Amino acid sequence: MRKTVKFGGSSLADAEHVQKVVDIIKADPSRLYVIPSAPGRRFKGDVKVTDMLIKCFEIQKHDSDQGREYFKKIEERYNEIIRDLGLDFSLENEYRTIISRMEEGLSREYLVSRGEYLCGRLLSKILDYPFLDPEECIRFDARGQFDENLTYAAFEKFSGMEKFVMPGFYGANESGRTRTFSRGGSDITGSIVSKAMNVDVYENWTDVSGFLVADPNIIDDPGSVREVSYGELRELSYMGAQVFHEEAIFPARSAGIPINIKNTNRPQDVGSWILPDDQITGKHAFITGITGKKGFVAMSFEKDIGSDRLTFGRKILQVFEEAMVMVEHVPSSIGTMTVVVSADEIKGKEESILRRIRREIDPYSMKVERNLALVAVVGQRIADVIGSTYQILKAIADQNIGVRLVIQGVNEITLIVGVDEKDFEKTVECLYEYRQKAEKEQSEVD
Ligand code: ASP
């Protein structure tokens, strides 16, 4: 068994956590490829090293002395970890290199990536694992997009490496300029390394024991999902669960590598497994997780369409597109189309959109419904269980909650229910209870 292990910022925030990380790696000889983020927040209100670096870049752009002064605070984050761990090791030379690059007018991405770089140097020293700089193999194209082909070709040179530490979050383009992924991008590095080194498992270590079944702000200690398919994960993260970077799914998925989300503070917990659809054992209830958000607006348009039938939908959507308003859902029937958008997205644009639709499409009715919350019930087995939709809606109806909207695609991985914002929490609660009951009954059958 060979594994890639990626550790998020909260797992590397201070010496106590770094020690836990080292213990986790040493406890399992199959943990061979180590991908660290930059140190995250140590306490509420603390600042992540990456954010400090962003600030440092802004300061040094205007005043290089002040920039260097601010950089000392970043050095101190690492020095504190080194001191508290009692290590005989120093990153002074690394700091000097970064400062001299600052004097030469370094790029923003170079400076912002140093959080991961320094963490990688530190871990490589503590673990006595070779350090592999991602600039050697994670390639970006001229537009700053990840270049898959060049990357996997570049990795071939390193395919014989038995183990290494590689900082997450960045790489370089062909001319050697540092480029970074979007925020949280170390997850992507971990996934790319997993595919490139052809490991058996990608462990992604964070500060929660996987994906929670429901929002802990609504449900006390909801427990975590054992298994989630790639498809379910996409639905869960779309509506709120932000444990894993969305783009990080693709490399592992294309190589069929399972991803295990684990908790650095509770390594004994199983965590959540992200698996290819056909590897899901199905040992949980047909509902995997419940997520959702408040703050949606539903705009409905009705028209006796006749010959306009072909163009009715496109024309409406085009108005939203040209107003740069992202459309979330479009439930429709003949001559009626409802466009669901987030209230934030449409703020300040509603009037002009309605005016344009009246002018260009001339519907005989336009209705705007506000204060809508969407609750997504996610589970790939919703499709296999006859009556599942009925049961979900019944659980809501039993609480006397009115349903304003139902959206279910043919893949049936998610059932989205629109309710009044005031009923949002109550809806999540009753669906959670229903899910737990169903899971208990299921395990009694197994
Ligand atoms: N350190 C980067 C960030 O804060 C990347 C990461 O943590 O994955 O976004």
Side-chain angles (χ1 to χ4, degrees):
M1 171 80 79
R2 291 159 68 250
K3 293 179 184 169
T4 299
V5 284
K6 179 261 166 179
F7 293 91
S10 55
S11 303
L12 296 157
D14 54 23
E16 188 194 332
H17 284 90
V18 173
Q19 188 58 52
K20 285 184 190 175
V21 165
V22 171
D23 293 343
I24 287 167
I25 297 168
K26 289 193 171 158
D28 180 351
S30 65
R31 293 182 173 136
L32 299 173
Y33 305 109
V34 179
I35 316 296
S37 286
R41 290 189 197 95
R42 293 161 292 185
F43 44 83
K44 223 173 158 202
D46 194 16
V47 185
K48 293 179 178 184
V49 165
T50 305
D51 290 308
M52 295 175 83
L53 287 161
I54 292 171
K55 187 165 173 195
C56 186
F57 182 77
E58 294 308 320
I59 297 174
Q60 69 89 37
K61 234 175 28 187
H62 303 292
D63 184 332
S64 55
D65 289 345
Q66 271 195 30
R68 272 200 307 279
E69 201 47 41
Y70 187 80
F71 189 72
K72 285 195 186 137
K73 288 191 206 248
I74 297 164
E75 294 178 14
E76 189 42 34
R77 287 288 310 256
Y78 291 91
N79 291 344
E80 187 184 272
I81 296 175
I82 294 170
R83 230 180 7 252
D84 291 353
L85 287 174
L87 300 174
D88 175 23
F89 167 66
S90 154
L91 285 168
E92 282 308 319
N93 286 341
E94 304 293 347
Y95 304 149
R96 300 285 79 81
T97 309
I98 299 169
I99 289 166
S100 70
R101 294 281 297 270
M102 271 203 218
E103 276 149 17
E104 291 160 16
L106 79 193
S107 77
R108 182 180 192 272
E109 282 165 280
Y110 168 78
L111 186 58
V112 172
S113 70
R114 294 306 89 182
E116 272 71 13
Y117 173 84
L118 292 169
C119 222
R121 285 283 178 203
L122 181 66
L123 277 184
S124 142
K125 177 73 188 171
I126 305 177
L127 294 165
D128 194 22
Y129 274 29
F131 178 87
L132 180 57
D133 197 314
E135 291 191 357
E136 304 268 345
C137 33
I138 308 260
R139 286 268 169 276
F140 288 75
D141 65 20
R143 288 171 303 131
Q145 301 297 317
F146 170 60
D147 190 321
E148 210 181 332
N149 294 336
L150 287 179
T151 297
Y152 295 114
F155 260 105
E156 273 169 27
K157 211 163 90 194
F158 305 100
S159 63
M161 283 183 81
E162 247 171 56
K163 52 185 177 181
F164 57 70
V165 173
M166 177 185 284
F169 189 41
Y170 72 96
N173 65 14
E174 277 297 85
S175 52
R177 180 168 160 215
T178 308
R179 305 297 329 229
T180 55
F181 289 112
S182 55
R183 295 298 303 267
S186 301
D187 284 345
I188 310 175
T189 313
S191 192
I192 294 167
V193 168
S194 300
K195 177 171 174 173
M197 302 310 285
N198 196 18
V199 299
D200 303 290
V201 174
Y202 170 21
E203 282 181 353
N204 188 288
W205 291 81
T206 176
D207 55 0
V208 286
S209 296
F211 296 97
L212 298 177
V213 171
D215 184 346
N217 295 313
I218 303 175
I219 309 290
D220 244 6
D221 196 10
S224 50
V225 174
R226 271 290 173 87
E227 296 177 346
V228 51
S229 70
Y230 293 122
E232 289 172 332
L233 177 68
R234 204 178 41 234
E235 300 285 337
L236 285 169
S237 11
Y238 169 62
M239 280 293 252
Q242 293 294 342
V243 180
F244 192 63
H245 196 299
E246 272 177 86
E247 286 167 54
I249 298 171
F250 306 117
R253 178 182 197 165
S254 69
I257 298 168
I259 305 165
N260 191 191
I261 309 286
K262 302 258 305 167
N263 186 346
T264 302
N265 302 310
R266 294 182 55 89
Q268 68 282 9
D269 289 357
V270 188
S272 297
W273 283 91
I274 306 170
L275 299 169
D277 296 9
D278 59 353
Q279 284 181 31
I280 296 279
T281 63
K283 283 233 179 287
H284 57 69
F286 68 80
I287 298 174
T288 302
I290 300 140
T291 172
K293 276 192 237 168
K294 291 183 183 176
F296 290 95
V297 174
M299 303 167 91
S300 301
F301 309 98
E302 258 182 274
K303 185 172 175 157
D304 286 330
I305 41 179
S307 61
D308 287 344
R309 192 163 159 189
L310 197 62
T311 56
F312 178 61
R314 176 183 53 76
K315 281 186 176 165
I316 290 178
L317 289 179
Q318 193 166 346
V319 174
F320 284 86
E321 182 184 335
E322 285 171 13
M324 301 289 283
V325 171
M326 197 98 81
V327 170
E328 303 285 336
H329 302 283
V330 194
S332 62
S333 63
I334 307 285
T336 309
M337 190 159 159
T338 302
V339 178
V340 181
V341 292
S342 100
D344 284 344
E345 184 86 1
I346 194 115
K347 212 193 241 143
K349 297 178 174 173
E350 192 180 311
E351 283 303 308
S352 62
I353 288 180
L354 291 177
R355 227 179 300 122
R356 202 170 149 199
I357 291 184
R358 178 170 304 287
R359 199 174 60 232
E360 291 179 19
I361 297 139
D362 190 27
Y364 69 75
S365 119
M366 300 204 296
K367 206 160 100 195
V368 180
E369 291 186 70
R370 298 173 208 287
N371 306 328
L372 184 69
L374 297 182
V375 179
V377 187
V378 180
Q380 71 171 22
R381 291 175 60 234
I382 292 178
D384 306 335
V385 180
I386 292 181
S388 54
T389 306
Y390 160 74
Q391 291 183 44
I392 292 166
L393 293 176
K394 182 171 183 307
I396 300 173
D398 284 350
Q399 295 304 310
N400 225 356
I401 299 168
V403 169
R404 289 171 60 185
L405 189 90
V406 178
I407 307 162
Q408 185 169 32
V410 273
N411 69 359
E412 289 189 89
I413 227 176
T414 314
L415 179 76
I416 294 174
V417 183
V419 294
D420 264 359
E421 283 182 343
K422 67 170 175 35
D423 292 327
F424 176 64
E425 286 82 5
K426 214 164 121 196
T427 308
V428 173
E429 273 162 21
C430 74
L431 290 171
Y432 174 77
E433 268 156 38
Y434 172 71
R435 182 217 185 255
Q436 296 308 87
K437 203 173 109 231
E439 176 141 291
K440 197 155 161 262
E441 281 163 12
Q442 162 103 20
S443 63
E444 276 159 15
V445 175
D446 292 340

